[in-house]
């Protein structure tokens, strides 16, 4: 994943949202209480940019890795 490929759109205690800068897809991850980890990101909805060259699914794993790292840095997940 290239540095700067994603940006944080919104972060709250309940949601973490990131956008793929070039393609414009939006990825939302709810923050949930887990059994062994207190707070973690769950799978959430994606908003496709209909004008993008690639579908949002192509970047979904990279978006999740970015979101998990940034949510942990922000203290929103454990």
């Amino acid at each position: 994943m290239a540095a700067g490929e994603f940006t944080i759109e919104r972060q709250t205690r309940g949601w973490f949202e990131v956008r793929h800068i070039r393609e414009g897809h939006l990825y939302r991850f709810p923050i949930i209480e887990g059994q062994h980890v207190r707070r973690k990101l769950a799978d959430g909805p994606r908003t496709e940019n209909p004008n993008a060259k690639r579908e949002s699914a192509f970047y979904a794993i990279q978006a999740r890795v970015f979101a998990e790292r940034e949510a942990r840095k922000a203290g929103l997940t454990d």
Side-chain angles (χ1 to χ4, degrees):
M1 172 174 61
E5 197 169 339
F6 293 91
T7 185
I8 299 168
E9 286 290 304
R10 186 172 73 129
Q11 58 187 36
T12 68
R13 291 222 169 267
W15 288 89
F16 201 83
E17 298 178 359
V18 301
R19 181 176 302 278
H20 188 272
I21 294 170
R22 188 177 65 246
E23 298 285 10
H25 302 306
L26 182 65
Y27 302 82
R28 294 176 189 88
F29 301 96
I31 299 170
I32 62 168
E33 298 288 326
Q35 290 180 341
H36 301 291
V37 177
R38 291 188 322 188
R39 294 169 296 164
K40 64 182 181 178
L41 296 183
D43 290 330
R46 298 189 299 246
T47 302
E48 295 273 341
N49 173 6
N51 300 318
K53 292 181 181 180
R54 295 187 182 213
E55 295 179 1
S56 66
F58 183 82
Y59 302 102
I61 292 172
Q62 294 168 324
R64 184 173 186 91
V65 169
F66 175 81
E68 286 178 347
R69 182 180 64 236
E70 296 301 317
R72 210 172 10 260
K73 280 193 225 177
L76 296 172
T77 60
D78 300 319

